[in-house]
Amino acid sequence: MFVCASTRCYNDRPLEEACKLLDGLEFDKFEIWVGADSTHISAEEIAADPDDFAAMLRSASRMSPVAFHLTDDSISTDTFAGITRTAKLLRVTQITVPSAPLGTPFNSEIDRLKELVLLGSRDGIRVSIKTEKGRLAEDPHTAVEFCQSIKGLGLTLDPSYYLASPLGDKACDMAYPHTLHVHLRDSTTTQLQVPVGQGEFDYGRLITQLQRQQYQRGLSIDLIPEKCEVEQRPLELRTLRMLLTTLL
């Protein structure tokens, strides 16, 4: 297991600057966040010229990219194929995608995710869906059912969204066997993000449960920038990095 940080933490800055800021905070690995409303870069721009994007990233930081996080559930298969080619070029083996919004028919989502998993497998990329509110994977039973129905599909576990689940710890327990990636921030049952140390999530238990599943991948710090003043982000990132590193 290793600790990394998402460029989402600085999604209000250009991508090159976000990388340099994380590098300056002594992270050696990072996750590339590609949001539909991001000022960083669009999925289409990355897919259009993988070589150019890879060169830009290498010049921006000494850190190693370990994952892509896509937030748009409507990107074309051609664009996704371009992202997987980019990931292969950067030696990134993990891509997180959103599940469809609530209300989407289960079978149509199965078809969409199967296609993404197939495209990823051609370039040796693991594909996982993020467990987040407002989407089909917000229910751990549904999230697990997707993984059981689609060979190769996993979960990007974001326990902040499961903290207030009526299932309690069982919500995350259901997800652990299928977890390929993890997004973390400090949270309570009523607030998605709070300053580090004021939350209710048991990181020690999370790490213990993942270790039981032989999990050897990333714990990605994924701050929501709108919920943290820019001046506070360096302290939050350092504190959570040190906390997680101590627990490993």
Side-chain angles (χ1 to χ4, degrees), residues 81-148:
I83 295 290
T84 66
R85 287 194 295 271
T86 306
K88 184 177 182 179
L89 189 64
L90 290 167
R91 298 183 180 179
V92 168
T93 58
Q94 169 64 40
I95 295 179
T96 297
V97 299
S99 59
L102 290 173
T104 304
F106 184 84
N107 287 339
S108 66
E109 179 65 346
I110 286 283
D111 293 340
R112 182 184 77 93
L113 293 174
K114 276 184 178 178
E115 188 168 22
L116 297 184
V117 170
L118 177 60
L119 289 170
S121 67
R122 291 172 179 172
D123 284 319
I125 311 297
R126 299 185 300 261
V127 176
S128 56
I129 52 173
K130 183 176 171 75
T131 60
E132 59 186 320
K133 189 174 181 180
R135 295 185 176 275
L136 294 177
E138 78 168 27
D139 174 22
H141 294 95
T142 303
V144 169
E145 191 171 353
F146 279 131
C147 295
Q148 292 172 335

Side-chain angles (χ1 to χ4, degrees), residues 4-241:
C4 59
S6 172
T7 59
R8 182 192 188 190
C9 300
Y10 287 105
N11 76 349
D12 48 356
R13 306 292 183 88
L15 180 58
E16 297 95 322
E17 184 179 351
C19 290
K20 289 176 181 176
L21 287 166
L22 294 177
D23 196 352
L25 292 170
E26 301 182 5
F27 286 95
D28 59 1
K29 298 178 179 65
F30 73 109
E31 179 174 17
I32 304 162
W33 184 80
V34 186
D37 56 350
S38 172
T39 58
H40 284 174
I41 192 168
S42 70
E44 289 75 17
E45 288 174 306
I46 296 172
D49 196 338
D51 290 295
D52 185 62
F53 177 76
M56 179 277 293
L57 213 57
R58 292 187 184 110
S59 66
S61 172
R62 298 167 297 177
M63 297 185 297
S64 300
V66 295
F68 276 92
H69 175 196
L70 311 181
T71 68
D72 186 357
D73 61 15
S74 62
I75 64 172
S76 69
T77 53
D78 287 343
T79 296
F80 189 79
I83 295 290
T84 66
R85 287 194 295 271
T86 306
K88 184 177 182 179
L89 189 64
L90 290 167
R91 298 183 180 179
V92 168
T93 58
Q94 169 64 40
I95 295 179
T96 297
V97 299
S99 59
L102 290 173
T104 304
F106 184 84
N107 287 339
S108 66
E109 179 65 346
I110 286 283
D111 293 340
R112 182 184 77 93
L113 293 174
K114 276 184 178 178
E115 188 168 22
L116 297 184
V117 170
L118 177 60
L119 289 170
S121 67
R122 291 172 179 172
D123 284 319
I125 311 297
R126 299 185 300 261
V127 176
S128 56
I129 52 173
K130 183 176 171 75
T131 60
E132 59 186 320
K133 189 174 181 180
R135 295 185 176 275
L136 294 177
E138 78 168 27
D139 174 22
H141 294 95
T142 303
V144 169
E145 191 171 353
F146 279 131
C147 295
Q148 292 172 335
S149 301
I150 304 171
K151 184 178 180 180
L153 180 69
L155 298 178
T156 290
L157 175 61
D158 190 328
S160 293
Y161 290 99
Y162 282 172
L163 195 56
S165 170
L167 294 172
D169 289 338
K170 290 183 180 179
C172 286
D173 289 346
M174 292 172 63
Y176 289 132
H178 305 280
T179 297
L180 297 180
H181 194 59
V182 179
H183 285 160
L184 293 174
R185 68 194 68 79
D186 219 350
S187 308
T188 69
T189 56
T190 58
Q191 292 179 280
L192 188 60
Q193 181 170 299
V194 296
V196 178
Q198 297 182 21
E200 301 173 20
F201 191 74
D202 187 344
Y203 293 103
R205 185 178 188 277
L206 168 94
I207 289 171
T208 298
Q209 293 298 101
L210 288 173
Q211 287 172 335
R212 288 177 178 171
Q213 299 296 329
Q214 306 299 311
Y215 182 83
Q216 297 179 353
R217 304 184 182 101
L219 302 175
S220 182
I221 299 174
D222 185 47
L223 297 185
I224 302 169
E226 309 88 76
K227 296 182 180 294
C228 183
E229 296 294 334
V230 67
E231 299 82 7
Q232 294 298 316
R233 287 181 222 167
L235 177 60
E236 291 292 299
L237 284 160
R238 281 196 192 96
T239 304
L240 191 47
R241 175 177 61 78

